[in-house]
Amino acid sequence: MKEVQKIAILTSGGDAPGMNAAIRAVVRSSIYYKKEVYAIYGGYAGLIEGKIKKFHVRSVSKILGKGGTVLKSSRSEEFRTYEGRQKAYNHLKKLGIDALVVVGGDGSFAGAHQFHKDFGVKVIGIPGTIDNDLPNTDFTIGYDTATNTVTECIDKLRDTANSHNRLFFVEVMGRDSGYIALRACIATGAIAVMLPEEKMEIDELIQVLRIGYQNKKTSSVVVVAEGNPNGGAYEVAQKVKERYKEYDTKYTVLGHLQRGGAPSCFDRILASQMGVAAVEALLDGKNDVMVGIINNKIKFTPLVDSVGIHNPIDEELLRISKILSI
Ligand code: F6P
């Protein structure tokens, strides 16, 4: 088997804090192993347009602690088509690039897998998304930072909620996954969490709020995952307001601020480990796999095993959240 000589990296899908640390790790480890390394700007869309630049060891200086992705990102419709992927492949071929590292979520991995199938380019996925919605890794890059940001925001909301004896509904990201919401619920002592994975009826929520009120809670926070089947924070707040008048009710949607900010120490290290592992995997002949870390050990699983599969919610954390919110 021909050894990989030229490695390219791109970031794809929603940006996540720690992506820069992953870029740096891939670039530095490629150079350490005496391979050429190329950066692709703008995700798959940029690859289709040929936005590729050769990187050197200093090209990734001082990006380790920066939020977002210096390579920029996109969600490319064109890459879903064979013609789009053909254009992308032509650019790689012209430069003799034989391997591609993709930092992103499951949509990005689906694209990488198809790209490999179409043209034989070696591909490795690094899980980078704040949602933590991928199986085959305990954590995705960005999740820790995003949940720290959410915790900080809810702590601040709590100060004002307490001062006015108010009930706050806080909507967090996660698409159809409740990981961010559940972790935020426990970290902030929220009274309830509304998850996509376990539908909570409004009556049930009101019952929880009633008990809290009877137990002398002066203010309360309910964390609502954006994929909650009963609606987002605004809808849930309206429904509760109509039937339960004890509290003055407010809602806040945290939105994209959850994706910004300097990556936490945890995310920097996770991304560094995964970036080095991705390059070493390519040099070891691995291909079409995702790098994961499970129980502190690097694991490689086929890319397709992380595509379109819902990462089940942590039932133990859910149990704990219910015990502690009384
Ligand atoms: O996948 C990351 C994420 O932030 C989700 O939590 C959210 O649903 C989505 O991306 C938002 O996407 P966009 O930035 O394209 O609006």
Side-chain angles (χ1 to χ4, degrees):
M1 199 194 317
K2 195 173 151 264
E3 209 191 66
V4 164
Q5 294 303 332
K6 295 186 180 188
I7 298 170
I9 177 165
L10 61 78
T11 48
S12 172
D15 61 295
M19 279 186 165
N20 287 326
I23 295 165
R24 174 180 176 270
V26 168
V27 169
R28 292 263 165 100
S29 50
S30 298
I31 293 168
Y32 177 86
Y33 287 113
K34 311 216 170 342
K35 305 297 166 191
E36 282 185 29
V37 63
Y38 292 80
I40 296 161
Y41 285 86
Y44 289 127
L47 179 55
I48 290 170
E49 291 169 38
K51 292 183 177 163
I52 307 173
K53 189 175 167 189
K54 188 168 179 197
F55 264 24
H56 304 279
V57 72
R58 295 271 81 78
S59 306
V60 288
S61 292
K62 300 176 189 67
I63 66 167
L64 177 61
K66 284 204 164 77
T69 160
V70 293
L71 296 185
K72 302 193 185 286
S73 192
S74 63
R75 303 188 199 276
S76 169
E77 280 307 315
E78 200 181 350
F79 197 73
R80 290 175 192 273
T81 67
Y82 183 84
E83 293 70 31
R85 292 192 296 276
Q86 175 77 67
K87 284 188 209 163
Y89 175 65
N90 292 346
H91 291 296
L92 293 187
K93 200 173 158 207
K94 207 158 69 194
L95 292 166
I97 295 168
D98 41 15
L100 177 64
V101 178
V102 173
V103 189
D106 77 332
S108 311
F109 294 166
H113 172 69
Q114 194 54 49
F115 196 44
H116 161 69
K117 268 178 66 181
D118 290 342
F119 304 104
V121 177
K122 294 188 173 66
V123 290
I124 301 272
I126 296 181
T129 163
I130 63 165
D131 300 340
N132 206 41
D133 59 347
L134 294 174
N136 304 313
T137 188
D138 288 341
F139 296 103
T140 57
I141 296 167
Y143 172 59
D144 182 67
T145 309
T147 48
N148 284 333
T149 302
V150 170
T151 300
E152 203 185 317
C153 291
I154 297 181
D155 283 350
K156 287 180 176 162
L157 288 172
R158 189 65 72 198
D159 290 345
T160 170
N162 245 335
S163 307
H164 293 267
N165 290 353
R166 280 174 169 160
L167 167 62
F168 266 83
F169 291 89
V170 185
E171 184 175 316
V172 299
M173 278 186 167
R175 206 182 286 278
D176 53 4
S177 160
Y179 265 84
I180 296 177
L182 181 54
R183 187 138 118 157
C185 171
I186 295 174
T188 62
I191 191 166
V193 58
M194 303 191 78
L195 302 168
E197 290 87 353
E198 211 186 82
K199 188 174 181 194
M200 187 188 234
E201 298 300 345
I202 300 295
D203 284 343
E204 197 186 331
L205 174 62
I206 290 176
Q207 185 56 11
V208 170
L209 294 170
R210 243 187 250 290
I211 294 170
Y213 194 76
Q214 282 157 10
N215 286 342
K216 311 241 172 323
K217 275 190 194 271
T218 50
S219 68
S220 282
V221 170
V222 175
V223 181
V224 183
E226 66 175 342
N228 172 44
N230 262 317
Y234 173 76
E235 287 86 6
V236 176
Q238 294 309 311
K239 289 177 193 165
V240 170
K241 244 187 211 172
E242 283 164 18
R243 287 142 70 181
Y244 183 67
K245 316 268 181 212
E246 248 64 60
Y247 284 111
D248 180 10
T249 301
K250 300 280 172 189
Y251 78 95
T252 300
V253 178
L254 295 183
H256 285 79
L257 71 81
Q258 293 163 89
R259 289 228 300 252
S264 64
C265 170
F266 181 88
D267 275 328
R268 294 179 200 197
I269 292 171
L270 182 71
S272 300
Q273 285 179 293
M274 287 179 167
V276 173
V279 171
E280 290 181 342
L282 281 171
L283 302 183
D284 202 29
K286 291 190 177 62
N287 178 20
D288 203 17
V289 293
M290 182 190 90
V291 186
I293 296 186
I294 299 174
N295 292 333
N296 268 324
K297 286 212 163 54
I298 296 280
K299 289 261 168 5
F300 297 97
T301 47
L303 268 184
V304 282
D305 288 0
S306 296
V307 173
I309 295 156
H310 193 92
N311 201 15
I313 201 73
D314 187 330
E315 291 294 339
E316 181 55 11
L317 282 189
L318 187 55
R319 189 180 76 83
I320 289 169
S321 78
K322 286 180 182 161
I323 292 175
L324 298 178
S325 62
I326 53 172

